[in-house]
Amino acid sequence: ETLHLTVPDLTRMREYRLQRIVQELQKRDLAGVLLFDPLNIRYATDSTNMQLWITHNHARACFVAASGHIILWDFHNCDHLTAHLPLVKEVRGGASFFYFETGDRTTEHAAHFAKEIQSILREHGGQDKRLAVDKMEIAGLRELDRLGIELFDGQEVMELARAIKCLDEINAMRCAMASTEIAMAKMQQTT
């Protein structure tokens, strides 16, 4: 059976997604967006790592500058998972500041991360301290506030960026649905 699927051009799709985020940031005069939501990180970078665990343990983060520069904080020793993604310009570690990971040193880790964000904003936003954030642990939010960084709704930025799909995204969804249907049919045949 022929499924009449078109394989998406992933390079073009990734570039389109980055441009959608950049457009939303520039519309709002924001220096960048800081992402912790794994779905938003996937959209911005096309990278995944322990998606379910990361959903409730924010050990990954991503900064997208209004210029399009992407920095990804990944889990310990996971740089290899994004080595094939040229839009990710830097991979770092140290975005974890939740109790399971940092225990009674959570505030210390959050303060370190916030200072790193402050430095990144200086480098990529100049005097602009306007930062969108999608989801963040309370300790990190407090530390960014303490540094005087103006925070805005990153969920809005990302939802509007993701709202308009390009043809490559539609083709990717069609391929994903077809492979899921094939897998489900094979499982049903064995039961």
Side-chain angles (χ1 to χ4, degrees), residues 5 25 33 62 64 78-79 94 96 101 106 110 112 114 121 125 141 145 150 155 158 165 168 172 185 188 191:
L5 296 172
L25 292 170
V33 62
C62 176
V64 181
C78 292
D79 300 14
S96 302
E101 181 77 14
T106 297
H112 177 77
L121 284 174
L141 182 67
D145 279 339
E150 289 181 75
Q155 288 288 51
M158 295 306 295
K165 306 289 186 233
D168 289 305
Q188 289 170 343
T191 57

mmCIF file with all atom_site columns, all heavy atoms in Angstrom, residues 5 25 33 62 64 78-79 94 96 101 106 110 112 114 121 125 141 145 150 155 158 165 168 172 185 188 191:
data_model
loop_
_atom_site.group_PDB
_atom_site.id
_atom_site.type_symbol
_atom_site.label_atom_id
_atom_site.label_alt_id
_atom_site.label_comp_id
_atom_site.label_asym_id
_atom_site.label_entity_id
_atom_site.label_seq_id
_atom_site.pdbx_PDB_ins_code
_atom_site.Cartn_x
_atom_site.Cartn_y
_atom_site.Cartn_z
_atom_site.occupancy
_atom_site.B_iso_or_equiv
_atom_site.pdbx_formal_charge
_atom_site.auth_seq_id
_atom_site.auth_comp_id
_atom_site.auth_asym_id
_atom_site.auth_atom_id
_atom_site.pdbx_PDB_model_num
ATOM 1   N N   . LEU A 1 5   ? 3.225  9.756   1.183  1.00 0.00 ? 5   LEU A N   1
ATOM 2   C CA  . LEU A 1 5   ? 3.821  10.680  2.150  1.00 0.00 ? 5   LEU A CA  1
ATOM 3   C C   . LEU A 1 5   ? 4.986  11.425  1.510  1.00 0.00 ? 5   LEU A C   1
ATOM 4   O O   . LEU A 1 5   ? 5.684  10.890  0.650  1.00 0.00 ? 5   LEU A O   1
ATOM 5   C CB  . LEU A 1 5   ? 4.334  9.916   3.372  1.00 0.00 ? 5   LEU A CB  1
ATOM 6   C CG  . LEU A 1 5   ? 3.286  9.208   4.213  1.00 0.00 ? 5   LEU A CG  1
ATOM 7   C CD1 . LEU A 1 5   ? 3.961  8.342   5.264  1.00 0.00 ? 5   LEU A CD1 1
ATOM 8   C CD2 . LEU A 1 5   ? 2.347  10.213  4.855  1.00 0.00 ? 5   LEU A CD2 1
ATOM 9   N N   . LEU A 1 25  ? 9.574  37.315  19.136 1.00 0.00 ? 25  LEU A N   1
ATOM 10  C CA  . LEU A 1 25  ? 10.414 38.074  20.071 1.00 0.00 ? 25  LEU A CA  1
ATOM 11  C C   . LEU A 1 25  ? 10.572 39.515  19.605 1.00 0.00 ? 25  LEU A C   1
ATOM 12  O O   . LEU A 1 25  ? 10.434 40.450  20.395 1.00 0.00 ? 25  LEU A O   1
ATOM 13  C CB  . LEU A 1 25  ? 11.789 37.411  20.208 1.00 0.00 ? 25  LEU A CB  1
ATOM 14  C CG  . LEU A 1 25  ? 11.813 36.054  20.900 1.00 0.00 ? 25  LEU A CG  1
ATOM 15  C CD1 . LEU A 1 25  ? 13.188 35.410  20.758 1.00 0.00 ? 25  LEU A CD1 1
ATOM 16  C CD2 . LEU A 1 25  ? 11.406 36.174  22.360 1.00 0.00 ? 25  LEU A CD2 1
ATOM 17  N N   . VAL A 1 33  ? 13.972 34.488  24.679 1.00 0.00 ? 33  VAL A N   1
ATOM 18  C CA  . VAL A 1 33  ? 13.039 33.663  25.436 1.00 0.00 ? 33  VAL A CA  1
ATOM 19  C C   . VAL A 1 33  ? 13.840 32.534  26.081 1.00 0.00 ? 33  VAL A C   1
ATOM 20  O O   . VAL A 1 33  ? 14.737 31.956  25.467 1.00 0.00 ? 33  VAL A O   1
ATOM 21  C CB  . VAL A 1 33  ? 11.886 33.114  24.554 1.00 0.00 ? 33  VAL A CB  1
ATOM 22  C CG1 . VAL A 1 33  ? 12.390 32.207  23.436 1.00 0.00 ? 33  VAL A CG1 1
ATOM 23  C CG2 . VAL A 1 33  ? 10.829 32.397  25.392 1.00 0.00 ? 33  VAL A CG2 1
ATOM 24  N N   . CYS A 1 62  ? 16.657 26.233  27.382 1.00 0.00 ? 62  CYS A N   1
ATOM 25  C CA  . CYS A 1 62  ? 17.088 26.742  26.089 1.00 0.00 ? 62  CYS A CA  1
ATOM 26  C C   . CYS A 1 62  ? 16.846 28.248  26.058 1.00 0.00 ? 62  CYS A C   1
ATOM 27  O O   . CYS A 1 62  ? 15.800 28.717  26.492 1.00 0.00 ? 62  CYS A O   1
ATOM 28  C CB  . CYS A 1 62  ? 16.285 26.059  24.980 1.00 0.00 ? 62  CYS A CB  1
ATOM 29  S SG  . CYS A 1 62  ? 16.626 26.675  23.327 1.00 0.00 ? 62  CYS A SG  1
ATOM 30  N N   . VAL A 1 64  ? 16.703 31.372  23.363 1.00 0.00 ? 64  VAL A N   1
ATOM 31  C CA  . VAL A 1 64  ? 16.698 31.806  21.970 1.00 0.00 ? 64  VAL A CA  1
ATOM 32  C C   . VAL A 1 64  ? 16.729 33.326  21.984 1.00 0.00 ? 64  VAL A C   1
ATOM 33  O O   . VAL A 1 64  ? 15.832 33.969  22.533 1.00 0.00 ? 64  VAL A O   1
ATOM 34  C CB  . VAL A 1 64  ? 15.447 31.313  21.211 1.00 0.00 ? 64  VAL A CB  1
ATOM 35  C CG1 . VAL A 1 64  ? 15.490 31.777  19.746 1.00 0.00 ? 64  VAL A CG1 1
ATOM 36  C CG2 . VAL A 1 64  ? 15.317 29.786  21.294 1.00 0.00 ? 64  VAL A CG2 1
ATOM 37  N N   . CYS A 1 78  ? 25.403 15.041  27.966 1.00 0.00 ? 78  CYS A N   1
ATOM 38  C CA  . CYS A 1 78  ? 24.491 14.720  26.859 1.00 0.00 ? 78  CYS A CA  1
ATOM 39  C C   . CYS A 1 78  ? 24.716 15.595  25.630 1.00 0.00 ? 78  CYS A C   1
ATOM 40  O O   . CYS A 1 78  ? 23.842 15.700  24.776 1.00 0.00 ? 78  CYS A O   1
ATOM 41  C CB  . CYS A 1 78  ? 23.042 14.836  27.330 1.00 0.00 ? 78  CYS A CB  1
ATOM 42  S SG  . CYS A 1 78  ? 22.576 13.569  28.516 1.00 0.00 ? 78  CYS A SG  1
ATOM 43  N N   . ASP A 1 79  ? 25.878 16.208  25.525 1.00 0.00 ? 79  ASP A N   1
ATOM 44  C CA  . ASP A 1 79  ? 26.181 17.088  24.384 1.00 0.00 ? 79  ASP A CA  1
ATOM 45  C C   . ASP A 1 79  ? 26.006 16.372  23.048 1.00 0.00 ? 79  ASP A C   1
ATOM 46  O O   . ASP A 1 79  ? 25.633 16.988  22.050 1.00 0.00 ? 79  ASP A O   1
ATOM 47  C CB  . ASP A 1 79  ? 27.617 17.611  24.462 1.00 0.00 ? 79  ASP A CB  1
ATOM 48  C CG  . ASP A 1 79  ? 27.894 18.415  25.711 1.00 0.00 ? 79  ASP A CG  1
ATOM 49  O OD1 . ASP A 1 79  ? 27.092 18.367  26.662 1.00 0.00 ? 79  ASP A OD1 1
ATOM 50  O OD2 . ASP A 1 79  ? 28.925 19.099  25.724 1.00 0.00 ? 79  ASP A OD2 1
ATOM 51  N N   . GLY A 1 94  ? 24.061 22.861  33.712 1.00 0.00 ? 94  GLY A N   1
ATOM 52  C CA  . GLY A 1 94  ? 23.845 23.656  34.915 1.00 0.00 ? 94  GLY A CA  1
ATOM 53  C C   . GLY A 1 94  ? 22.536 24.410  34.986 1.00 0.00 ? 94  GLY A C   1
ATOM 54  O O   . GLY A 1 94  ? 22.442 25.413  35.679 1.00 0.00 ? 94  GLY A O   1
ATOM 55  N N   . SER A 1 96  ? 19.833 23.082  36.242 1.00 0.00 ? 96  SER A N   1
ATOM 56  C CA  . SER A 1 96  ? 19.015 22.383  37.243 1.00 0.00 ? 96  SER A CA  1
ATOM 57  C C   . SER A 1 96  ? 19.041 23.119  38.571 1.00 0.00 ? 96  SER A C   1
ATOM 58  O O   . SER A 1 96  ? 20.102 23.332  39.143 1.00 0.00 ? 96  SER A O   1
ATOM 59  C CB  . SER A 1 96  ? 19.551 20.963  37.454 1.00 0.00 ? 96  SER A CB  1
ATOM 60  O OG  . SER A 1 96  ? 19.547 20.248  36.252 1.00 0.00 ? 96  SER A OG  1
ATOM 61  N N   . GLU A 1 101 ? 17.554 17.422  42.312 1.00 0.00 ? 101 GLU A N   1
ATOM 62  C CA  . GLU A 1 101 ? 18.895 17.579  41.743 1.00 0.00 ? 101 GLU A CA  1
ATOM 63  C C   . GLU A 1 101 ? 19.826 18.361  42.671 1.00 0.00 ? 101 GLU A C   1
ATOM 64  O O   . GLU A 1 101 ? 20.998 18.044  42.785 1.00 0.00 ? 101 GLU A O   1
ATOM 65  C CB  . GLU A 1 101 ? 18.780 18.289  40.386 1.00 0.00 ? 101 GLU A CB  1
ATOM 66  C CG  . GLU A 1 101 ? 20.073 18.489  39.667 1.00 0.00 ? 101 GLU A CG  1
ATOM 67  C CD  . GLU A 1 101 ? 20.616 17.242  38.988 1.00 0.00 ? 101 GLU A CD  1
ATOM 68  O OE1 . GLU A 1 101 ? 19.888 16.247  38.840 1.00 0.00 ? 101 GLU A OE1 1
ATOM 69  O OE2 . GLU A 1 101 ? 21.797 17.256  38.618 1.00 0.00 ? 101 GLU A OE2 1
ATOM 70  N N   . THR A 1 106 ? 19.620 24.557  46.317 1.00 0.00 ? 106 THR A N   1
ATOM 71  C CA  . THR A 1 106 ? 18.802 24.998  45.186 1.00 0.00 ? 106 THR A CA  1
ATOM 72  C C   . THR A 1 106 ? 18.940 26.488  44.928 1.00 0.00 ? 106 THR A C   1
ATOM 73  O O   . THR A 1 106 ? 19.140 26.913  43.786 1.00 0.00 ? 106 THR A O   1
ATOM 74  C CB  . THR A 1 106 ? 17.329 24.610  45.408 1.00 0.00 ? 106 THR A CB  1
ATOM 75  O OG1 . THR A 1 106 ? 17.243 23.176  45.469 1.00 0.00 ? 106 THR A OG1 1
ATOM 76  C CG2 . THR A 1 106 ? 16.431 25.117  44.302 1.00 0.00 ? 106 THR A CG2 1
ATOM 77  N N   . ALA A 1 110 ? 20.292 28.228  41.530 1.00 0.00 ? 110 ALA A N   1
ATOM 78  C CA  . ALA A 1 110 ? 19.419 29.159  40.809 1.00 0.00 ? 110 ALA A CA  1
ATOM 79  C C   . ALA A 1 110 ? 20.102 30.514  40.635 1.00 0.00 ? 110 ALA A C   1
ATOM 80  O O   . ALA A 1 110 ? 20.006 31.134  39.574 1.00 0.00 ? 110 ALA A O   1
ATOM 81  C CB  . ALA A 1 110 ? 18.092 29.314  41.549 1.00 0.00 ? 110 ALA A CB  1
ATOM 82  N N   . HIS A 1 112 ? 23.338 31.081  40.481 1.00 0.00 ? 112 HIS A N   1
ATOM 83  C CA  . HIS A 1 112 ? 24.396 30.903  39.471 1.00 0.00 ? 112 HIS A CA  1
ATOM 84  C C   . HIS A 1 112 ? 23.800 30.939  38.064 1.00 0.00 ? 112 HIS A C   1
ATOM 85  O O   . HIS A 1 112 ? 24.324 31.611  37.169 1.00 0.00 ? 112 HIS A O   1
ATOM 86  C CB  . HIS A 1 112 ? 25.140 29.593  39.716 1.00 0.00 ? 112 HIS A CB  1
ATOM 87  C CG  . HIS A 1 112 ? 26.176 29.303  38.681 1.00 0.00 ? 112 HIS A CG  1
ATOM 88  N ND1 . HIS A 1 112 ? 27.411 29.930  38.662 1.00 0.00 ? 112 HIS A ND1 1
ATOM 89  C CD2 . HIS A 1 112 ? 26.145 28.487  37.598 1.00 0.00 ? 112 HIS A CD2 1
ATOM 90  C CE1 . HIS A 1 112 ? 28.091 29.508  37.608 1.00 0.00 ? 112 HIS A CE1 1
ATOM 91  N NE2 . HIS A 1 112 ? 27.348 28.626  36.955 1.00 0.00 ? 112 HIS A NE2 1
ATOM 92  N N   . ALA A 1 114 ? 20.926 32.283  37.121 1.00 0.00 ? 114 ALA A N   1
ATOM 93  C CA  . ALA A 1 114 ? 20.396 33.626  36.845 1.00 0.00 ? 114 ALA A CA  1
ATOM 94  C C   . ALA A 1 114 ? 21.517 34.580  36.424 1.00 0.00 ? 114 ALA A C   1
ATOM 95  O O   . ALA A 1 114 ? 21.340 35.392  35.505 1.00 0.00 ? 114 ALA A O   1
ATOM 96  C CB  . ALA A 1 114 ? 19.655 34.161  38.066 1.00 0.00 ? 114 ALA A CB  1
ATOM 97  N N   . LEU A 1 121 ? 22.175 37.826  28.391 1.00 0.00 ? 121 LEU A N   1
ATOM 98  C CA  . LEU A 1 121 ? 21.354 38.958  27.951 1.00 0.00 ? 121 LEU A CA  1
ATOM 99  C C   . LEU A 1 121 ? 22.225 40.152  27.577 1.00 0.00 ? 121 LEU A C   1
ATOM 100 O O   . LEU A 1 121 ? 21.962 40.831  26.579 1.00 0.00 ? 121 LEU A O   1
ATOM 101 C CB  . LEU A 1 121 ? 20.350 39.361  29.035 1.00 0.00 ? 121 LEU A CB  1
ATOM 102 C CG  . LEU A 1 121 ? 19.141 38.451  29.192 1.00 0.00 ? 121 LEU A CG  1
ATOM 103 C CD1 . LEU A 1 121 ? 18.309 38.872  30.401 1.00 0.00 ? 121 LEU A CD1 1
ATOM 104 C CD2 . LEU A 1 121 ? 18.298 38.430  27.926 1.00 0.00 ? 121 LEU A CD2 1
ATOM 105 N N   . GLY A 1 125 ? 21.653 40.861  23.995 1.00 0.00 ? 125 GLY A N   1
ATOM 106 C CA  . GLY A 1 125 ? 20.588 41.862  23.990 1.00 0.00 ? 125 GLY A CA  1
ATOM 107 C C   . GLY A 1 125 ? 21.054 43.270  24.302 1.00 0.00 ? 125 GLY A C   1
ATOM 108 O O   . GLY A 1 125 ? 20.243 44.181  24.354 1.00 0.00 ? 125 GLY A O   1
ATOM 109 N N   . LEU A 1 141 ? 13.091 31.980  39.205 1.00 0.00 ? 141 LEU A N   1
ATOM 110 C CA  . LEU A 1 141 ? 12.296 33.187  38.972 1.00 0.00 ? 141 LEU A CA  1
ATOM 111 C C   . LEU A 1 141 ? 12.672 34.289  39.962 1.00 0.00 ? 141 LEU A C   1
ATOM 112 O O   . LEU A 1 141 ? 12.892 35.441  39.581 1.00 0.00 ? 141 LEU A O   1
ATOM 113 C CB  . LEU A 1 141 ? 10.807 32.849  39.085 1.00 0.00 ? 141 LEU A CB  1
ATOM 114 C CG  . LEU A 1 141 ? 9.834  33.979  38.828 1.00 0.00 ? 141 LEU A CG  1
ATOM 115 C CD1 . LEU A 1 141 ? 9.897  34.414  37.377 1.00 0.00 ? 141 LEU A CD1 1
ATOM 116 C CD2 . LEU A 1 141 ? 8.430  33.536  39.190 1.00 0.00 ? 141 LEU A CD2 1
ATOM 117 N N   . ASP A 1 145 ? 14.391 37.948  39.105 1.00 0.00 ? 145 ASP A N   1
ATOM 118 C CA  . ASP A 1 145 ? 13.769 39.179  39.628 1.00 0.00 ? 145 ASP A CA  1
ATOM 119 C C   . ASP A 1 145 ? 14.787 39.988  40.422 1.00 0.00 ? 145 ASP A C   1
ATOM 120 O O   . ASP A 1 145 ? 14.882 41.206  40.282 1.00 0.00 ? 145 ASP A O   1
ATOM 121 C CB  . ASP A 1 145 ? 12.572 38.848  40.537 1.00 0.00 ? 145 ASP A CB  1
ATOM 122 C CG  . ASP A 1 145 ? 11.302 38.544  39.764 1.00 0.00 ? 145 ASP A CG  1
ATOM 123 O OD1 . ASP A 1 145 ? 11.188 38.959  38.588 1.00 0.00 ? 145 ASP A OD1 1
ATOM 124 O OD2 . ASP A 1 145 ? 10.414 37.877  40.345 1.00 0.00 ? 145 ASP A OD2 1
ATOM 125 N N   . GLU A 1 150 ? 13.568 42.032  33.463 1.00 0.00 ? 150 GLU A N   1
ATOM 126 C CA  . GLU A 1 150 ? 12.124 42.155  33.237 1.00 0.00 ? 150 GLU A CA  1
ATOM 127 C C   . GLU A 1 150 ? 11.615 40.874  32.598 1.00 0.00 ? 150 GLU A C   1
ATOM 128 O O   . GLU A 1 150 ? 12.090 40.488  31.525 1.00 0.00 ? 150 GLU A O   1
ATOM 129 C CB  . GLU A 1 150 ? 11.817 43.319  32.303 1.00 0.00 ? 150 GLU A CB  1
ATOM 130 C CG  . GLU A 1 150 ? 12.033 44.683  32.887 1.00 0.00 ? 150 GLU A CG  1
ATOM 131 C CD  . GLU A 1 150 ? 11.660 45.741  31.861 1.00 0.00 ? 150 GLU A CD  1
ATOM 132 O OE1 . GLU A 1 150 ? 10.445 45.951  31.648 1.00 0.00 ? 150 GLU A OE1 1
ATOM 133 O OE2 . GLU A 1 150 ? 12.586 46.308  31.268 1.00 0.00 ? 150 GLU A OE2 1
ATOM 134 N N   . GLN A 1 155 ? 5.169  31.562  27.313 1.00 0.00 ? 155 GLN A N   1
ATOM 135 C CA  . GLN A 1 155 ? 4.184  30.637  26.751 1.00 0.00 ? 155 GLN A CA  1
ATOM 136 C C   . GLN A 1 155 ? 3.457  31.308  25.583 1.00 0.00 ? 155 GLN A C   1
ATOM 137 O O   . GLN A 1 155 ? 3.215  30.686  24.552 1.00 0.00 ? 155 GLN A O   1
ATOM 138 C CB  . GLN A 1 155 ? 3.175  30.193  27.812 1.00 0.00 ? 155 GLN A CB  1
ATOM 139 C CG  . GLN A 1 155 ? 3.749  29.240  28.822 1.00 0.00 ? 155 GLN A CG  1
ATOM 140 C CD  . GLN A 1 155 ? 3.999  27.857  28.254 1.00 0.00 ? 155 GLN A CD  1
ATOM 141 O OE1 . GLN A 1 155 ? 4.636  27.692  27.215 1.00 0.00 ? 155 GLN A OE1 1
ATOM 142 N NE2 . GLN A 1 155 ? 3.505  26.847  28.930 1.00 0.00 ? 155 GLN A NE2 1
ATOM 143 N N   . MET A 1 158 ? 5.716  31.354  22.513 1.00 0.00 ? 158 MET A N   1
ATOM 144 C CA  . MET A 1 158 ? 5.879  30.045  21.888 1.00 0.00 ? 158 MET A CA  1
ATOM 145 C C   . MET A 1 158 ? 4.580  29.528  21.268 1.00 0.00 ? 158 MET A C   1
ATOM 146 O O   . MET A 1 158 ? 4.600  28.923  20.196 1.00 0.00 ? 158 MET A O   1
ATOM 147 C CB  . MET A 1 158 ? 6.433  29.045  22.903 1.00 0.00 ? 158 MET A CB  1
ATOM 148 C CG  . MET A 1 158 ? 7.846  29.386  23.369 1.00 0.00 ? 158 MET A CG  1
ATOM 149 S SD  . MET A 1 158 ? 9.042  29.604  22.021 1.00 0.00 ? 158 MET A SD  1
ATOM 150 C CE  . MET A 1 158 ? 9.096  27.950  21.347 1.00 0.00 ? 158 MET A CE  1
ATOM 151 N N   . LYS A 1 165 ? 1.879  26.504  10.886 1.00 0.00 ? 165 LYS A N   1
ATOM 152 C CA  . LYS A 1 165 ? 2.715  25.384  10.457 1.00 0.00 ? 165 LYS A CA  1
ATOM 153 C C   . LYS A 1 165 ? 3.152  25.572  9.004  1.00 0.00 ? 165 LYS A C   1
ATOM 154 O O   . LYS A 1 165 ? 2.376  25.992  8.155  1.00 0.00 ? 165 LYS A O   1
ATOM 155 C CB  . LYS A 1 165 ? 1.951  24.060  10.551 1.00 0.00 ? 165 LYS A CB  1
ATOM 156 C CG  . LYS A 1 165 ? 1.356  23.775  11.912 1.00 0.00 ? 165 LYS A CG  1
ATOM 157 C CD  . LYS A 1 165 ? 2.412  23.458  12.923 1.00 0.00 ? 165 LYS A CD  1
ATOM 158 C CE  . LYS A 1 165 ? 1.797  23.038  14.235 1.00 0.00 ? 165 LYS A CE  1
ATOM 159 N NZ  . LYS A 1 165 ? 2.291  23.804  15.353 1.00 0.00 ? 165 LYS A NZ  1
ATOM 160 N N   . ASP A 1 168 ? 6.625  21.635  5.665  1.00 0.00 ? 168 ASP A N   1
ATOM 161 C CA  . ASP A 1 168 ? 7.500  20.593  6.217  1.00 0.00 ? 168 ASP A CA  1
ATOM 162 C C   . ASP A 1 168 ? 6.973  20.072  7.547  1.00 0.00 ? 168 ASP A C   1
ATOM 163 O O   . ASP A 1 168 ? 7.054  18.867  7.826  1.00 0.00 ? 168 ASP A O   1
ATOM 164 C CB  . ASP A 1 168 ? 8.933  21.125  6.377  1.00 0.00 ? 168 ASP A CB  1
ATOM 165 C CG  . ASP A 1 168 ? 9.614  21.306  5.033  1.00 0.00 ? 168 ASP A CG  1
ATOM 166 O OD1 . ASP A 1 168 ? 9.667  20.338  4.260  1.00 0.00 ? 168 ASP A OD1 1
ATOM 167 O OD2 . ASP A 1 168 ? 10.076 22.426  4.754  1.00 0.00 ? 168 ASP A OD2 1
ATOM 168 N N   . ALA A 1 172 ? 5.848  16.320  8.315  1.00 0.00 ? 172 ALA A N   1
ATOM 169 C CA  . ALA A 1 172 ? 6.407  15.591  9.462  1.00 0.00 ? 172 ALA A CA  1
ATOM 170 C C   . ALA A 1 172 ? 5.285  14.975  10.301 1.00 0.00 ? 172 ALA A C   1
ATOM 171 O O   . ALA A 1 172 ? 5.389  13.817  10.740 1.00 0.00 ? 172 ALA A O   1
ATOM 172 C CB  . ALA A 1 172 ? 7.271  16.522  10.313 1.00 0.00 ? 172 ALA A CB  1
ATOM 173 N N   . ALA A 1 185 ? -1.098 -1.135  14.220 1.00 0.00 ? 185 ALA A N   1
ATOM 174 C CA  . ALA A 1 185 ? -1.646 -2.266  13.480 1.00 0.00 ? 185 ALA A CA  1
ATOM 175 C C   . ALA A 1 185 ? -0.826 -3.536  13.726 1.00 0.00 ? 185 ALA A C   1
ATOM 176 O O   . ALA A 1 185 ? -1.380 -4.621  13.902 1.00 0.00 ? 185 ALA A O   1
ATOM 177 C CB  . ALA A 1 185 ? -1.694 -1.935  11.988 1.00 0.00 ? 185 ALA A CB  1
ATOM 178 N N   . GLN A 1 188 ? -1.674 -4.842  17.124 1.00 0.00 ? 188 GLN A N   1
ATOM 179 C CA  . GLN A 1 188 ? -3.004 -5.476  17.131 1.00 0.00 ? 188 GLN A CA  1
ATOM 180 C C   . GLN A 1 188 ? -2.962 -6.855  16.469 1.00 0.00 ? 188 GLN A C   1
ATOM 181 O O   . GLN A 1 188 ? -3.677 -7.763  16.887 1.00 0.00 ? 188 GLN A O   1
ATOM 182 C CB  . GLN A 1 188 ? -4.009 -4.564  16.419 1.00 0.00 ? 188 GLN A CB  1
ATOM 183 C CG  . GLN A 1 188 ? -4.340 -3.324  17.221 1.00 0.00 ? 188 GLN A CG  1
ATOM 184 C CD  . GLN A 1 188 ? -5.145 -2.294  16.430 1.00 0.00 ? 188 GLN A CD  1
ATOM 185 O OE1 . GLN A 1 188 ? -5.200 -2.336  15.208 1.00 0.00 ? 188 GLN A OE1 1
ATOM 186 N NE2 . GLN A 1 188 ? -5.775 -1.370  17.159 1.00 0.00 ? 188 GLN A NE2 1
ATOM 187 N N   . THR A 1 191 ? -1.889 -9.625  18.981 1.00 0.00 ? 191 THR A N   1
ATOM 188 C CA  . THR A 1 191 ? -2.714 -9.922  20.172 1.00 0.00 ? 191 THR A CA  1
ATOM 189 C C   . THR A 1 191 ? -3.851 -10.834 19.856 1.00 0.00 ? 191 THR A C   1
ATOM 190 O O   . THR A 1 191 ? -4.266 -11.063 18.790 1.00 0.00 ? 191 THR A O   1
ATOM 191 C CB  . THR A 1 191 ? -3.267 -8.630  20.797 1.00 0.00 ? 191 THR A CB  1
ATOM 192 O OG1 . THR A 1 191 ? -4.014 -7.908  19.841 1.00 0.00 ? 191 THR A OG1 1
ATOM 193 C CG2 . THR A 1 191 ? -2.162 -7.782  21.356 1.00 0.00 ? 191 THR A CG2 1
#
